mmCIF file of all heavy atoms in Angstrom:
data_model
loop_
_atom_site.group_PDB
_atom_site.id
_atom_site.type_symbol
_atom_site.label_atom_id
_atom_site.label_comp_id
_atom_site.label_asym_id
_atom_site.label_seq_id
_atom_site.Cartn_x
_atom_site.Cartn_y
_atom_site.Cartn_z
ATOM 1 N N THR A 306 28.044 -7.276 6.305
ATOM 2 C CA THR A 306 28.801 -6.044 6.576
ATOM 3 C C THR A 306 28.587 -5.572 8.011
ATOM 4 O O THR A 306 29.133 -4.551 8.415
ATOM 5 C CB THR A 306 28.362 -4.910 5.620
ATOM 6 O OG1 THR A 306 27.014 -4.525 5.956
ATOM 7 C CG2 THR A 306 28.426 -5.359 4.169
ATOM 8 N N GLY A 307 27.779 -6.288 8.751
ATOM 9 C CA GLY A 307 27.523 -5.922 10.146
ATOM 10 C C GLY A 307 26.413 -4.914 10.323
ATOM 11 O O GLY A 307 26.193 -4.402 11.425
ATOM 12 N N THR A 308 25.694 -4.601 9.233
ATOM 13 C CA THR A 308 24.603 -3.629 9.327
ATOM 14 C C THR A 308 23.328 -4.325 9.795
ATOM 15 O O THR A 308 23.011 -5.431 9.341
ATOM 16 C CB THR A 308 24.338 -2.979 7.953
ATOM 17 O OG1 THR A 308 25.589 -2.493 7.447
ATOM 18 C CG2 THR A 308 23.342 -1.840 8.070
ATOM 19 N N THR A 309 22.617 -3.677 10.682
ATOM 20 C CA THR A 309 21.377 -4.245 11.217
ATOM 21 C C THR A 309 20.173 -3.840 10.360
ATOM 22 O O THR A 309 20.045 -2.676 9.958
ATOM 23 C CB THR A 309 21.155 -3.775 12.666
ATOM 24 O OG1 THR A 309 22.210 -4.302 13.476
ATOM 25 C CG2 THR A 309 19.821 -4.249 13.215
ATOM 26 N N TYR A 310 19.333 -4.802 10.098
ATOM 27 C CA TYR A 310 18.082 -4.579 9.365
ATOM 28 C C TYR A 310 16.949 -5.284 10.108
ATOM 29 O O TYR A 310 17.174 -6.279 10.795
ATOM 30 C CB TYR A 310 18.152 -5.165 7.944
ATOM 31 C CG TYR A 310 19.159 -4.504 7.050
ATOM 32 C CD1 TYR A 310 20.492 -4.922 7.059
ATOM 33 C CD2 TYR A 310 18.794 -3.473 6.192
ATOM 34 C CE1 TYR A 310 21.445 -4.309 6.240
ATOM 35 C CE2 TYR A 310 19.721 -2.866 5.361
ATOM 36 C CZ TYR A 310 21.041 -3.283 5.394
ATOM 37 O OH TYR A 310 21.968 -2.687 4.585
ATOM 38 N N TYR A 311 15.754 -4.778 9.896
ATOM 39 C CA TYR A 311 14.561 -5.459 10.388
ATOM 40 C C TYR A 311 13.840 -6.045 9.182
ATOM 41 O O TYR A 311 13.498 -5.319 8.250
ATOM 42 C CB TYR A 311 13.639 -4.484 11.129
ATOM 43 C CG TYR A 311 14.270 -3.989 12.408
ATOM 44 C CD1 TYR A 311 15.109 -2.881 12.409
ATOM 45 C CD2 TYR A 311 14.064 -4.657 13.607
ATOM 46 C CE1 TYR A 311 15.721 -2.443 13.572
ATOM 47 C CE2 TYR A 311 14.672 -4.223 14.780
ATOM 48 C CZ TYR A 311 15.499 -3.118 14.748
ATOM 49 O OH TYR A 311 16.104 -2.705 15.906
ATOM 50 N N LEU A 312 13.659 -7.343 9.184
ATOM 51 C CA LEU A 312 12.965 -7.998 8.084
ATOM 52 C C LEU A 312 11.524 -8.260 8.484
ATOM 53 O O LEU A 312 11.270 -8.694 9.606
ATOM 54 C CB LEU A 312 13.599 -9.351 7.747
ATOM 55 C CG LEU A 312 15.096 -9.444 7.468
ATOM 56 C CD1 LEU A 312 15.430 -10.845 6.963
ATOM 57 C CD2 LEU A 312 15.526 -8.409 6.456
ATOM 58 N N LYS A 313 10.613 -8.001 7.574
ATOM 59 C CA LYS A 313 9.245 -8.462 7.807
ATOM 60 C C LYS A 313 8.706 -8.999 6.490
ATOM 61 O O LYS A 313 9.059 -8.508 5.416
ATOM 62 C CB LYS A 313 8.354 -7.377 8.393
ATOM 63 C CG LYS A 313 8.174 -6.147 7.557
ATOM 64 C CD LYS A 313 7.258 -5.183 8.295
ATOM 65 C CE LYS A 313 7.101 -3.895 7.512
ATOM 66 N NZ LYS A 313 6.267 -2.928 8.212
ATOM 67 N N PHE A 314 7.840 -9.996 6.616
ATOM 68 C CA PHE A 314 7.452 -10.763 5.435
ATOM 69 C C PHE A 314 6.026 -10.471 5.021
ATOM 70 O O PHE A 314 5.188 -10.077 5.822
ATOM 71 C CB PHE A 314 7.607 -12.261 5.723
ATOM 72 C CG PHE A 314 8.955 -12.608 6.283
ATOM 73 C CD1 PHE A 314 9.071 -13.289 7.477
ATOM 74 C CD2 PHE A 314 10.108 -12.230 5.610
ATOM 75 C CE1 PHE A 314 10.315 -13.597 7.996
ATOM 76 C CE2 PHE A 314 11.361 -12.538 6.124
ATOM 77 C CZ PHE A 314 11.467 -13.218 7.322
ATOM 78 N N ASP A 315 5.777 -10.745 3.746
ATOM 79 C CA ASP A 315 4.412 -10.623 3.238
ATOM 80 C C ASP A 315 3.583 -11.813 3.707
ATOM 81 O O ASP A 315 4.109 -12.907 3.887
ATOM 82 C CB ASP A 315 4.432 -10.587 1.710
ATOM 83 C CG ASP A 315 4.964 -9.274 1.180
ATOM 84 O OD1 ASP A 315 4.718 -8.248 1.829
ATOM 85 O OD2 ASP A 315 5.638 -9.280 0.130
ATOM 86 N N PRO A 316 2.252 -11.602 3.848
ATOM 87 C CA PRO A 316 1.396 -12.726 4.245
ATOM 88 C C PRO A 316 1.315 -13.777 3.134
ATOM 89 O O PRO A 316 1.373 -13.435 1.949
ATOM 90 C CB PRO A 316 0.032 -12.073 4.466
ATOM 91 C CG PRO A 316 0.087 -10.768 3.747
ATOM 92 C CD PRO A 316 1.509 -10.346 3.704
ATOM 93 N N VAL A 317 1.188 -15.023 3.545
ATOM 94 C CA VAL A 317 1.216 -16.142 2.589
ATOM 95 C C VAL A 317 0.148 -15.981 1.506
ATOM 96 O O VAL A 317 0.420 -16.174 0.319
ATOM 97 C CB VAL A 317 1.012 -17.475 3.332
ATOM 98 C CG1 VAL A 317 0.851 -18.618 2.350
ATOM 99 C CG2 VAL A 317 2.188 -17.736 4.246
ATOM 100 N N ASP A 318 -1.061 -15.612 1.916
ATOM 101 C CA ASP A 318 -2.158 -15.533 0.949
ATOM 102 C C ASP A 318 -2.144 -14.251 0.116
ATOM 103 O O ASP A 318 -2.917 -14.127 -0.835
ATOM 104 C CB ASP A 318 -3.512 -15.638 1.667
ATOM 105 C CG ASP A 318 -3.704 -17.013 2.283
ATOM 106 O OD1 ASP A 318 -3.112 -17.971 1.752
ATOM 107 O OD2 ASP A 318 -4.424 -17.121 3.290
ATOM 108 N N TYR A 319 -1.326 -13.301 0.506
ATOM 109 C CA TYR A 319 -1.291 -12.021 -0.205
ATOM 110 C C TYR A 319 0.155 -11.604 -0.470
ATOM 111 O O TYR A 319 0.639 -10.605 0.066
ATOM 112 C CB TYR A 319 -2.033 -10.941 0.599
ATOM 113 C CG TYR A 319 -3.471 -11.300 0.839
ATOM 114 C CD1 TYR A 319 -3.859 -11.936 2.017
ATOM 115 C CD2 TYR A 319 -4.433 -11.056 -0.134
ATOM 116 C CE1 TYR A 319 -5.178 -12.310 2.224
ATOM 117 C CE2 TYR A 319 -5.747 -11.413 0.072
ATOM 118 C CZ TYR A 319 -6.116 -12.037 1.251
ATOM 119 O OH TYR A 319 -7.421 -12.393 1.443
ATOM 120 N N PRO A 320 0.860 -12.361 -1.310
ATOM 121 C CA PRO A 320 2.260 -12.037 -1.562
ATOM 122 C C PRO A 320 2.407 -10.638 -2.158
ATOM 123 O O PRO A 320 1.568 -10.204 -2.943
ATOM 124 C CB PRO A 320 2.696 -13.122 -2.561
ATOM 125 C CG PRO A 320 1.452 -13.703 -3.103
ATOM 126 C CD PRO A 320 0.401 -13.522 -2.064
ATOM 127 N N GLU A 321 3.418 -9.955 -1.721
ATOM 128 C CA GLU A 321 3.802 -8.610 -2.189
ATOM 129 C C GLU A 321 2.925 -7.508 -1.605
ATOM 130 O O GLU A 321 3.233 -6.328 -1.779
ATOM 131 C CB GLU A 321 3.789 -8.517 -3.732
ATOM 132 C CG GLU A 321 4.675 -9.551 -4.391
ATOM 133 C CD GLU A 321 4.576 -9.549 -5.910
ATOM 134 O OE1 GLU A 321 3.919 -8.660 -6.478
ATOM 135 O OE2 GLU A 321 5.158 -10.457 -6.538
ATOM 136 N N LEU A 322 1.850 -7.865 -0.924
ATOM 137 C CA LEU A 322 0.896 -6.853 -0.447
ATOM 138 C C LEU A 322 1.554 -5.841 0.485
ATOM 139 O O LEU A 322 1.523 -4.634 0.251
ATOM 140 C CB LEU A 322 -0.275 -7.540 0.270
ATOM 141 C CG LEU A 322 -1.324 -6.622 0.891
ATOM 142 C CD1 LEU A 322 -2.119 -5.904 -0.186
ATOM 143 C CD2 LEU A 322 -2.282 -7.419 1.780
ATOM 144 N N SER A 323 2.155 -6.332 1.529
ATOM 145 C CA SER A 323 2.688 -5.444 2.552
ATOM 146 C C SER A 323 3.991 -4.780 2.097
ATOM 147 O O SER A 323 4.187 -3.577 2.291
ATOM 148 C CB SER A 323 2.921 -6.247 3.840
ATOM 149 O OG SER A 323 3.488 -5.439 4.808
#
Side-chain angles (χ1 to χ4, degrees):
Chain A
T306 68
T308 309
T309 296
Y310 295 86
Y311 293 87
L312 307 188
K313 61 180 177 182
F314 309 125
D315 287 326
V317 172
D318 293 333
Y319 301 95
E321 304 175 7
L322 177 69
S323 177

